[in-house]
C-alpha cells in the first residue's frame, strides 16, 4: 500500500513528524489538565481587598470590598451596601442605600461580579426620546 492508493498520505520528514507529535502531546496534556478539575471561569483573586459590585438573582445589587470567595462563587463582602429597589418597579434600583456590613453572598444567587474602580455609569444610548 503506497501513497498512490491514498492521496491524503504524504511523505513527511522525521523532524516535522516529531514537531507534530509534540504538539499533539501538549494539546492532550492541556485538555486533560483542564477537564480534570472544575475551575471557576472568573479569576476573582485579582479583586480580593478591592471594591466590587455584585448583582444577585431577584434584582438585588450590593457593593463592597471582596474579602474572600470559593469555587462555588460564594463571596464574602465587607462594608457592603445594598442599593434599594424602586417600590413601583422592582427591576430598577434607586439612589437609596442600606448599610449591611460584613455579608456572605451565596454563589447560586450571584449573577454578575464587576470591579467598582474603573467603571462609570453612562446614559443608555438605546433609549428613544420622549417625543419620538
Amino acid at each position: 500500500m503506497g501513497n498512490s492508493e491514498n492521496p491524503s498520505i504524504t511523505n513527511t520528514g522525521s523532524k516535522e513528524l516529531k514537531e507534530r507529535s509534540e504538539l499533539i502531546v501538549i494539546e492532550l496534556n492541556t485538555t486533560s489538565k483542564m477537564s480534570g478539575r472544575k475551575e471557576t471561569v472568573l479569576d476573582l483573586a485579582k479583586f480580593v481587598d478591592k471594591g466590587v459590585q455584585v448583582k444577585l438573582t431577584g434584582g438585588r445589587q450590593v457593593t463592597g470590598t471582596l474579602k474572600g470567595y470559593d469555587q462555588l462563587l460564594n463571596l464574602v463582602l465587607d462594608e457592603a451596601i445594598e442599593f434599594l429597589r424602586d417600590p413601583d418597579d422592582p427591576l430598577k434600583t434607586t439612589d437609596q442605600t442600606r448599610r449591611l456590613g460584613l455579608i456572605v453572598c451565596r454563589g447560586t444567587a450571584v449573577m454578575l461580579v464587576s470591579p467598582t474602580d474603573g467603571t462609570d455609569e453612562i446614559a443608555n444610548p438605546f433609549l428613544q426620546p420622549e417625543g419620538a
Side-chain angles (χ1 to χ4, degrees), residues 96-116:
Q96 296 176 328
T97 59
R98 179 172 69 163
R99 290 185 146 318
L100 300 176
L102 184 67
I103 63 168
V104 175
C105 297
R106 188 176 169 108
T108 56
V110 173
M111 291 184 2
L112 177 129
V113 178
S114 67
T116 53

Side-chain angles (χ1 to χ4, degrees), residues 42-50 66 69:
L42 294 173
D43 181 20
L44 293 176
K46 58 187 170 192
F47 298 128
V48 172
D49 290 327
K50 294 191 171 91
L66 181 65
Y69 65 94

Side-chain angles (χ1 to χ4, degrees), residues 14-123:
S14 62
K15 182 179 178 183
E16 183 181 344
L17 186 59
K18 184 179 177 186
E19 288 173 0
R20 284 185 182 175
S21 64
E22 287 174 359
L23 178 63
I24 292 168
V25 170
I26 291 170
E27 287 176 359
L28 290 175
N29 288 342
T30 305
T31 305
S32 63
K33 185 185 210 182
M34 289 173 54
S35 62
R37 205 175 106 201
K38 290 185 179 179
E39 291 186 12
T40 306
V41 174
L42 294 173
D43 181 20
L44 293 176
K46 58 187 170 192
F47 298 128
V48 172
D49 290 327
K50 294 191 171 91
V52 292
Q53 175 182 358
V54 180
K55 289 190 180 184
L56 305 167
T57 56
R60 296 179 89 173
Q61 183 175 333
V62 294
T63 61
T65 304
L66 181 65
K67 290 296 181 181
Y69 65 94
D70 64 10
Q71 69 274 11
L72 299 174
L73 208 59
N74 295 315
L75 307 176
V76 177
L77 299 178
D78 196 13
E79 301 170 4
I81 299 171
E82 178 184 8
F83 291 89
L84 300 177
R85 292 179 282 178
D86 187 353
D88 298 328
D89 187 0
L91 298 177
K92 290 185 180 178
T93 57
T94 63
D95 292 335
Q96 296 176 328
T97 59
R98 179 172 69 163
R99 290 185 146 318
L100 300 176
L102 184 67
I103 63 168
V104 175
C105 297
R106 188 176 169 108
T108 56
V110 173
M111 291 184 2
L112 177 129
V113 178
S114 67
T116 53
D117 294 336
T119 58
D120 292 325
E121 188 173 335
I122 62 169

